[in-house]
Amino acid sequence: MGQITNSFLEAFKLIFSFDPELIEILYLSFEITIIAVLISSFIGIPLGTVLACTRFYFRKAIISIFFALMGLPPVVVGLFVYLIFSRSGTLGWMGLLYSPTVMIIAQIILITPIICCLTFQTIESAHLKYREFFQSFHIGRLKAVNAYIIDSRFELITVILAGFGRSISEVGAIIIVGGNIDHLTRVMTTAIALETSKGNLSLAMGLGIILLLIAVFVNVAMIFVKNKFLNPSNQDL
Amino acid sequence: MIFKPITKLSILITIVIICLPPVFAKSILVQSSTSLKNSGFYQHIIPVIKNELGIDLHVVAVGTGQAVKNALNCDGDLLITHAKEAELDFLKTGFGSKRSELMYSHWLIIGPEDMANSLTVKNDIADAFYLIFSRKYKFVSRGDNSGTHMREIKLWEKAGLNPRKFSTNWYMEVGSGQGATLNSSIQLEAFTLTDSATWFSFQNKGNAQIAYKDEKNFNVYSLTTINSKKCPNIKLNESEEVVDFLTSKRGKALISSFSINGEIVFFPL
């Protein structure tokens, strides 16, 4: 028990010390996660919508593949991205290995399938519900899709938050491609891994508590935004 | 209504991506053994090197085996490792350009408090290893092809044993970094091989103690630069500058001024 109490103390000490190194690590964690989540949303949400509302050959196969990709082990993604961006790899000439950019790329590979599949499910259920209704009024497909997205915006925010949660807590892939370099590619999760390997368990746990608190804060903020600005009762559609 | 914030966000992302901190300063990528990073050694030397040479060291800490593999992919400008044979093999591949021995620390066997005295009678570390084998004391092995793991295998062989044939009842390969291995061996009340720098800086010692200190053979760290003919993107000039600085008189003074809790752990060669 002593260590757990210590780690809470350590967390509060860290928070109130405003340690510049901690702020740097936090900043990078959020920069990488937010950019990765936004790019993944821009890919995943349209892709999921297209898969939900259209019919074409191999559609079911593609959907199954995306669902399988949701369970991608991060370490495998890390290795894959490493081999591509390594100096001896296909894109090695870009010199991106061990940079935040390549960490974002690994994160995008990890979370795009999640966002795509969850969007697919949300939009498909709206599509099945309203398809005949829209057809009977001769409303075009684009307008219908627009309506589906507006109708399921609550669920889509949850979808994005799921991606955020996966991304901010991820360590296996980004430690391989980022290298956990001090002041360059060190983020919260890789810092926790480093402190654990130094035997600094309460500091590692303290960092974990801070990560958790921030994740809770982000989720609460998103729910607040959702209820305040996206609630149908506040807004004309 | 719903699309407007998205448009704004997309503009924001573009701005953020453009503003991603570009790296202008001179820097080299160091593929390093984990023990040097975990002990805080780099935090001691990086600011000085930055100050003196204007070169920033970006350190990726992986096991020695992994570090050599990464260097074979040209993903590193300088190797700082501690396994002589692996380093010499690396030079033979033609990827290495020059190897210079930098400093040494001590090899230690760590064990639970109540059994810590059982190994001290032996006057050679290989004998201590044989004792662990013959009494079937629990032993945790790195199992990750790191410098420490290579050393451990060598010591078993020196004692006339083949670790591949050991029973898993007492010989456990965890396949993790040094810190994680220490964490497991302390929880399992087992013996394990480590180096003095890692041990003195390790915070979660529990009731484990030094059971044996090897005074005969040292844990030698060396610097290996990469051949620019094999890897044209390598920053050879910068890494040679760093090597020259670290092996100079001032570099040696810098190394010996590093201490953990008042204990000097690295001795320049």
Side-chain angles (χ1 to χ4, degrees):
Chain A
M1 268 328 271
Q3 279 212 328
I4 293 179
T5 328
N6 272 348
S7 49
F8 272 97
L9 283 175
E10 199 79 48
F12 284 109
K13 248 196 272 170
L14 273 174
I15 293 170
F16 291 107
S17 67
F18 298 106
D19 181 22
E21 213 162 308
L22 177 70
I23 291 168
E24 193 184 339
I25 292 172
L26 275 175
Y27 176 80
L28 188 65
S29 287
F30 277 87
E31 185 179 334
I32 287 173
T33 302
I34 289 170
I35 294 174
V37 168
L38 287 177
I39 294 175
S40 297
S41 304
F42 275 98
I43 304 168
I45 293 179
L47 197 63
T49 313
V50 168
L51 287 173
C53 302
T54 54
R55 296 287 176 273
F56 53 89
Y57 280 116
F58 304 121
R59 174 175 163 272
K60 285 240 165 79
I62 291 172
I63 291 167
S64 319
I65 291 170
F66 270 96
F67 268 87
L69 290 181
M70 281 215 286
L72 267 179
V75 185
V76 175
V77 173
L79 263 171
F80 175 73
V81 176
Y82 169 79
L83 290 175
I84 289 177
F85 284 95
S86 158
R87 281 273 183 217
S88 56
T90 331
L91 297 179
W93 51 271
M94 295 171 89
L96 281 178
L97 193 69
Y98 305 126
S99 73
T101 317
V102 79
M103 295 160 84
I104 293 172
I105 293 169
Q107 298 274 38
I108 291 172
I109 296 177
L110 273 170
I111 56 181
T112 303
I114 297 176
I115 291 180
C116 173
C117 291
L118 297 179
T119 305
F120 164 77
Q121 266 189 336
T122 313
I123 301 289
E124 192 186 39
S125 66
H127 184 55
L128 294 175
K129 215 156 83 184
Y130 298 119
R131 186 180 49 190
E132 288 180 356
F133 173 77
F134 282 131
Q135 271 173 358
S136 65
F137 281 91
H138 295 290
I139 287 167
R141 193 182 256 173
L142 265 177
K143 272 191 175 167
V145 166
N146 198 354
Y148 298 153
I149 291 177
I150 293 174
D151 187 57
S152 30
R153 61 195 183 281
F154 274 31
E155 288 88 340
L156 288 182
I157 284 186
T158 316
V159 166
I160 293 172
L161 281 178
F164 175 84
R166 164 89 173 205
S167 173
I168 193 98
S169 61
E170 204 284 313
V171 61
I174 54 176
I175 205 164
I176 295 178
V177 297
N180 194 16
I181 299 172
D182 212 0
H183 305 301
L184 187 70
T185 57
R186 182 162 304 162
V187 293
M188 283 302 270
T189 48
T190 58
I192 293 171
L194 179 68
E195 290 308 329
T196 310
S197 72
K198 284 182 188 171
N200 236 332
L201 300 192
S202 46
L203 179 58
M205 190 69 191
L207 288 169
I209 291 168
I210 294 174
L211 186 67
L212 184 71
L213 287 178
I214 291 167
V216 168
F217 174 77
V218 168
N219 279 275
V220 169
M222 284 298 262
I223 290 166
F224 176 76
V225 168
K226 192 159 104 171
N227 291 338
K228 182 99 181 177
F229 298 107
L230 299 176
N231 203 314
S233 58
N234 292 344
Q235 199 177 344
D236 306 317
L237 288 173
Chain B
M1 274 310 281
I2 192 104
F3 289 109
K4 271 188 187 162
I6 291 181
T7 327
K8 278 182 205 157
L9 277 180
S10 63
I11 295 166
L12 195 79
I13 308 172
T14 329
I15 293 169
V16 172
I17 291 177
I18 292 168
C19 297
L20 271 177
V23 187
F24 289 122
K26 273 203 281 186
S27 67
I28 62 168
L29 190 64
V30 179
Q31 292 283 352
S32 156
S33 131
T34 44
S35 51
L36 292 175
K37 190 166 190 173
N38 285 5
S39 62
F41 176 69
Y42 288 117
Q43 279 151 355
H44 179 69
I45 65 162
I46 285 175
V48 180
I49 291 178
K50 207 171 179 178
N51 212 357
E52 294 280 325
L53 310 173
I55 298 171
D56 201 3
L57 302 189
H58 291 158
V59 183
V60 179
V62 285
T64 292
Q66 181 74 46
V68 169
K69 285 243 168 68
N70 289 349
L72 285 173
N73 287 334
C74 300
D75 295 325
D77 302 308
L78 182 63
L79 270 177
I80 307 186
T81 47
H82 63 138
K84 193 175 176 182
E85 280 169 20
E87 288 151 15
L88 294 178
D89 283 346
F90 178 70
L91 285 178
K92 271 186 217 150
T93 62
F95 277 88
S97 132
K98 197 180 144 220
R99 171 177 177 272
S100 22
E101 295 193 341
L102 178 66
M103 59 188 181
Y104 69 88
S105 71
H106 289 94
W107 291 113
L108 304 173
I109 300 178
I110 302 302
E113 201 173 21
D114 46 343
M115 276 157 43
N117 291 329
S118 49
L119 301 181
T120 46
V121 287
K122 299 294 170 188
N123 55 14
D124 191 283
I125 193 164
D127 294 341
F129 264 58
Y130 192 83
L131 195 74
I132 291 173
F133 166 76
S134 59
R135 300 219 180 136
K136 299 284 179 286
Y137 288 149
K138 275 193 266 180
F139 189 92
V140 174
S141 164
R142 288 279 293 271
D144 64 347
N145 202 22
S146 61
T148 306
H149 185 220
M150 293 179 201
R151 179 75 193 166
E152 182 212 311
I153 302 287
K154 215 175 153 191
L155 288 173
W156 289 120
E157 281 164 1
K158 212 174 153 194
L161 302 163
N162 180 1
R164 273 182 212 93
K165 289 183 181 158
F166 288 168
S167 149
T168 48
N169 289 336
W170 64 275
Y171 184 77
M172 289 157 276
E173 275 194 21
V174 288
S176 321
Q178 182 69 80
T181 306
L182 282 174
N183 280 332
S184 334
S185 81
I186 288 160
Q187 289 304 317
L188 291 163
E189 299 199 315
F191 287 96
T192 193
L193 182 72
T194 189
D195 60 280
S196 51
T198 303
W199 182 247
F200 288 130
S201 61
F202 194 68
Q203 303 280 326
N204 187 33
K205 291 191 175 98
N207 68 355
Q209 271 186 0
I210 299 174
Y212 195 91
K213 182 178 178 184
D214 192 353
E215 301 278 7
K216 288 183 189 160
N217 290 298
F218 301 125
N219 176 24
V220 177
Y221 291 90
S222 61
L223 306 160
T224 312
T225 50
I226 316 291
N227 187 348
S228 55
K229 281 188 190 123
K230 290 268 187 183
C231 302
N233 290 314
I234 280 322
K235 295 171 188 158
L236 189 61
N237 291 337
E238 282 91 338
S239 51
E240 274 174 350
E241 260 185 83
V242 171
V243 171
D244 288 344
F245 174 75
L246 282 174
T247 49
S248 71
K249 231 177 196 174
R250 306 219 6 248
K252 283 175 181 172
L254 180 67
I255 290 166
S256 28
S257 70
F258 174 68
S259 65
I260 303 165
N261 304 326
E263 195 101 32
I264 292 170
V265 283
F266 294 123
F267 303 90
L269 282 164

